[in-house]
Amino acid sequence: MKIVGIVGSNAPFSHNRLLLQYIGYKFWQLFDLEILEITDVPLFNQSDDQTDNPVIQNLAHKIAAADGVIIATPEHNHTTSAALKSTIEWLSYQIHPFDGKPVMIVGASYYQQGSSRAQLHLRQILDSPGVNAMVLPGNEFLLGNAKEAFDSHYHLKNEATINFLGTCLENFVKYVGLVNGLKA
């Protein structure tokens, strides 16, 4: 199974990037994970259509070719990052790679509640007309206190957290199978 992971931050260092890297390392037996960056995606501007931009086209092609998508979102002022929102705008303007695509949302935050509000807002964005993603309901992985959650090798330290993440990812694999089976 081919899954793409989208780092929802354009920061040079991101705990959400670390989380996706850890998922790819620890849970390689569940799926093949390719991590996609949004660093070079231009700011959305409907008056300056850049859907043919190679960066946007690459993201669209990778998402369309994948069986599913995992988006790792930070939380900035109770919502997702402006860079991630802008990326989704481009991917729902003239092109629609998320349409009918199974998506799982995860997130890491410095604070105890994790990225709960950003994840809720991102679910609403992904459900909007033009995006139409199939977001896995009720399967929330919220990594709080991200600065303390990883060891020096950038692996999660807490065994209960690792086990819960594994359960969430196993549920996502089942969901991907169901959604893609319905489309077939």
Side-chain angles (χ1 to χ4, degrees):
M1 180 176 292
K2 178 67 177 175
I3 302 294
V4 294
I6 298 175
V7 178
S9 171
N10 57 1
F13 179 84
S14 166
H15 284 93
N16 286 284
R17 182 178 298 108
L18 292 179
L19 179 56
L20 285 174
Q21 290 169 341
Y22 180 76
I23 288 170
Y25 162 79
K26 177 72 175 173
F27 300 100
W28 61 268
Q29 74 281 7
L30 292 176
F31 45 76
D32 177 35
L33 179 67
E34 179 180 3
I35 298 174
L36 304 177
E37 298 284 347
I38 62 171
T39 308
D40 297 323
V41 174
L43 184 63
F44 180 75
N45 179 352
Q46 187 172 338
S47 299
D48 182 20
D49 185 358
Q50 295 188 42
T51 51
D52 287 337
N53 179 305
V55 173
I56 296 168
Q57 284 295 309
N58 181 58
L59 285 168
H61 291 302
K62 297 276 187 174
I63 292 167
D67 296 304
V69 178
I70 299 173
I71 300 176
T73 183
E75 184 165 312
H76 297 263
N77 298 325
H78 295 187
T79 190
T80 192
S81 71
L84 180 57
K85 177 69 166 78
S86 187
T87 298
I88 295 170
E89 293 287 345
W90 281 123
L91 296 172
S92 63
Y93 177 55
Q94 299 289 345
I95 52 179
H96 306 278
F98 281 113
D99 191 13
K101 187 67 62 177
V103 175
M104 177 181 176
I105 301 171
V106 299
S109 172
Y110 293 162
Y111 304 104
Q112 189 172 9
Q113 78 277 3
S115 58
S116 60
R117 291 170 287 210
Q119 287 193 31
L120 179 61
H121 192 205
L122 184 55
R123 285 177 183 278
Q124 294 172 329
I125 293 166
L126 291 168
D127 191 40
S128 63
V131 183
N132 299 319
M134 302 289 290
V135 182
L136 175 60
N139 198 59
E140 297 177 345
F141 182 78
L142 310 164
L143 182 63
N145 302 313
K147 287 181 180 179
E148 294 83 32
F150 293 94
D151 65 19
S152 61
H153 300 289
Y154 299 118
H155 296 169
L156 290 175
K157 295 190 283 189
N158 184 284
E159 201 62 38
T161 300
I162 296 166
N163 291 337
F164 180 68
L165 176 58
T167 299
C168 291
L169 293 169
E170 288 168 2
N171 289 340
F172 182 58
V173 167
K174 292 174 192 171
Y175 182 72
V176 169
L178 288 172
V179 170
N180 290 334
L182 289 173
K183 289 192 294 188

